[in-house]
C-alpha cells in the first residue's frame, strides 16, 4: 500500500516530482505515475531481486516475471 500519496498538481508545474521510497511493484509505479510522479528512486526491491534487470523491466512495464522475488 502506498502511504502519503501527494498529487503533483498541487506543486509548481516547472518541478520534476520524484518518489524516493516504497516502490516494489509495477502497481506502485502505476499509482505514482497516476499522481504525476515522473522519476523513481528504487533500491531495496531491485537489490533483493534474483535478477535486478528483470525486476526493473517488471517495474517499468517492459515485461518479465510479475513477481521477481
Amino acid at each position: 500500500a502506498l502511504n502519503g500519496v501527494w498529487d503533483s498538481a498541487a506543486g509548481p508545474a516547472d518541478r520534476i516530482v520524484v518518489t524516493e521510497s516504497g516502490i516494489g511493484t509495477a502497481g506502485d509505479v502505476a499509482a505514482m505515475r497516476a499522481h504525476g510522479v515522473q522519476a523513481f528512486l528504487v533500491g531495496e526491491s531491485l537489490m533483493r531481486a534474483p535478477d535486478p534487470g528483470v525486476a526493473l523491466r517488471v517495474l517499468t512495464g517492459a515485461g518479465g516475471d510479475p513477481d521477481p522475488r
Side-chain angles (χ1 to χ4, degrees):
L2 299 171
N3 296 315
V5 174
W6 176 76
D7 194 329
S8 67
D14 65 340
R15 300 295 193 274
I16 295 173
V17 179
V18 178
T19 185
E20 300 177 332
S21 183
I23 302 299
T25 69
D28 295 338
V29 172
M32 292 292 101
R33 283 184 174 158
H35 286 277
V37 174
Q38 300 156 303
F40 306 85
L41 295 177
V42 181
E44 185 176 352
S45 65
L46 295 180
M47 296 303 294
R48 292 182 182 269
D51 186 333
V54 169
L56 181 59
R57 287 191 296 277
V58 169
L59 285 175
T60 61
D65 183 347
D67 188 1
R69 294 175 216 160

